[in-house]
Amino acid sequence: MDSILALSGGHLCHKVPGADLTSASLIHYNLALNQLKYQLTRIAAGNPADPVRLLLTILVLSITESVSGNSKGATFHHLRASSHFVPLVLALDPTHGDQEVCAFLLETYAYMVSIVNITVNTQPTFPSLVLDPYIASLERFQGCKSFGTMFGYARDLLSLVPTICTLGYNRILEESAGECSFESLACYKAIQSKIENWQEPSPRENSGIDTKDLTNAAKVYKEAVLIFLHTAFYASNVTDPELLALVDKSICATLVLTDFDTDSPVLSVMLWPCMIIGSCLRQPVQREYLRYKMLEAPFNMTVVRSSVQLLDWLWEDSASDAFGPYGLGSVMRKYGVIHSMS
């Protein structure tokens, strides 16, 4: 309950700024952390604990940091903590508790871990990549009504993001040594093939969301993940004509897909592709269009405005590497922020 109240306060503080409301929200946040610390101490002493309850609480705190626009990477810390309880939840007997709750929590965790990274341009002061081996484990929950709540039709696409992050990080290391390994090139081509050959799954009945919106959202994710892959492989070589041509092709493919109604539920999961695609926009009219669409969305949250601010910094930067996810990493270092989303 304290974590839920902290999350509610995070939303409300953006709409109704005030010291009293901020203080109340922080009190509940600190109470939740203190209770978590107590539970973890009990676990360390050998006492049993409910991993579902703990995972739920930590994920709520992670979302609280994200929607509140935390710029110091707190979301990364919570997701690392969550990762310790995910295998415990997966190991629970199927008859234990509510499988719908387990399915929703595990999918939420997998989604958050996938989209928390908007750049692979890591440095010693930047949080290490949060990589996830559990997305494939969601298959067992396909019969649950909540299945697909976070991923929609894009689960197979987003499952590639952690691998792309690893590839991008390796490419940065290789680039500093003046080389490009056969392994990296083979990995790049294999992932590219998977993305380009991806097809949306058959519509699920009773999803409560327009299947056209789900399909278009997944197609936007397809192009965003493809851009993320291309820019990860080219590393700091962001002005390479081949890279720019590949990115522009994906951008053109997404512009006709982004005209969702302002009340469409899929808008709640479109921030990550907006950041990846937006980081590669070079035309002022395209930038202004995306900026308008992001601020027009009905989600009155600090994270949306801080995301737009990050894109503004990138677009205004005259540095040669101020382009794409790599450029987002450079701009974050320049302004001393660690932008993360969930």
Side-chain angles (χ1 to χ4, degrees):
M1 180 58 71
D2 280 312
S3 64
I4 292 294
L5 290 171
L7 174 59
S8 302
H11 279 289
L12 198 55
C13 285
H14 180 67
K15 299 179 68 174
V16 189
D20 290 343
L21 189 57
T22 300
S23 176
S25 179
L26 289 174
I27 286 172
H28 286 293
Y29 187 96
N30 288 329
L31 285 171
L33 282 180
N34 287 334
Q35 292 170 75
L36 271 175
K37 181 180 178 181
Y38 172 72
Q39 291 295 330
L40 294 175
T41 302
R42 285 177 50 81
I43 294 173
N47 294 293
D50 182 0
V52 175
R53 180 168 171 249
L54 292 169
L55 179 60
L56 171 58
T57 302
I58 299 172
L59 288 179
V60 170
L61 291 178
S62 181
I63 297 171
T64 301
E65 293 288 8
S66 180
V67 302
S68 299
N70 179 277
S71 61
K72 301 301 180 184
T75 301
F76 287 88
H77 298 302
H78 287 309
L79 288 178
R80 287 194 197 93
S82 300
S83 68
H84 293 284
F85 296 102
V86 168
L88 298 180
V89 173
L90 285 169
L92 290 174
D93 189 284
T95 61
H96 174 87
D98 191 334
Q99 286 296 289
E100 289 287 347
V101 173
C102 291
F104 178 72
L105 286 180
L106 292 170
E107 182 171 345
T108 299
Y109 166 79
Y111 174 78
M112 291 168 65
V113 166
S114 297
I115 61 99
V116 73
N117 294 298
I118 56 174
T119 177
V120 297
N121 185 14
T122 55
Q123 298 292 331
T125 57
F126 198 83
S128 59
L129 299 173
V130 178
L131 303 178
D132 179 71
Y134 299 112
I135 294 180
S137 302
L138 297 176
E139 293 286 351
R140 59 182 266 199
F141 296 102
Q142 287 196 58
C144 294
K145 294 179 181 179
S146 65
F147 187 82
T149 300
M150 300 302 300
F151 283 120
Y153 293 166
R155 181 172 64 91
D156 290 342
L157 293 168
L158 281 169
S159 68
L160 298 172
V161 171
T163 304
I164 295 173
C165 286
T166 302
L167 170 65
Y169 184 65
N170 290 337
R171 284 292 300 122
I172 292 171
L173 295 178
E174 290 178 354
E175 188 180 62
S176 64
E179 62 183 34
C180 177
S181 69
F182 172 79
E183 289 77 12
S184 290
L185 179 60
C187 180
Y188 169 60
K189 292 298 183 181
I191 298 174
Q192 182 180 2
S193 178
K194 287 182 180 179
I195 299 171
E196 291 178 342
N197 292 323
W198 173 88
Q199 297 290 328
E200 67 269 20
S202 301
R204 295 190 70 204
E205 296 182 0
N206 303 319
S207 67
I209 303 178
D210 188 331
T211 55
K212 180 183 177 182
D213 279 357
L214 285 171
T215 300
N216 285 345
K219 288 179 178 178
V220 171
Y221 264 100
K222 175 183 178 180
E223 301 304 329
V225 174
L226 195 55
I227 289 173
F228 196 57
L229 171 66
H230 291 319
T231 53
F233 180 74
Y234 279 81
S236 69
N237 194 15
V238 297
T239 59
D240 190 301
E242 291 185 1
L243 171 63
L244 297 179
L246 290 168
V247 168
D248 286 345
K249 180 181 178 182
S250 286
I251 289 174
C252 289
T254 61
L255 292 180
V256 298
L257 300 170
T258 56
D259 193 22
F260 300 105
D261 292 335
T262 55
D263 61 349
S264 175
V266 300
L267 288 176
S268 63
V269 293
M270 296 303 290
L271 188 56
W272 187 85
C274 282
M275 293 300 292
I276 301 304
I277 295 168
S279 70
C280 297
L281 295 180
R282 290 178 288 158
Q283 301 298 324
V285 65
Q286 293 178 341
R287 292 174 173 179
E288 193 55 38
Y289 173 75
L290 179 63
R291 195 177 194 280
Y292 168 75
K293 296 297 288 187
M294 291 175 71
L295 294 176
E296 178 196 41
F299 311 108
N300 196 9
M301 294 183 288
T302 305
V303 66
V304 176
R305 295 193 176 276
S306 61
S307 296
V308 171
Q309 175 65 81
L310 182 58
L311 286 175
D312 283 340
W313 285 337
L314 178 67
W315 294 336
E316 294 165 2
D317 200 303
S318 60
S320 60
D321 64 353
F323 176 83
Y326 186 93
L328 288 174
S330 298
V331 169
M332 280 192 278
R333 289 199 308 278
K334 184 175 295 185
Y335 286 90
V337 300
I338 301 174
H339 188 78
S340 56
M341 301 176 296
S342 62

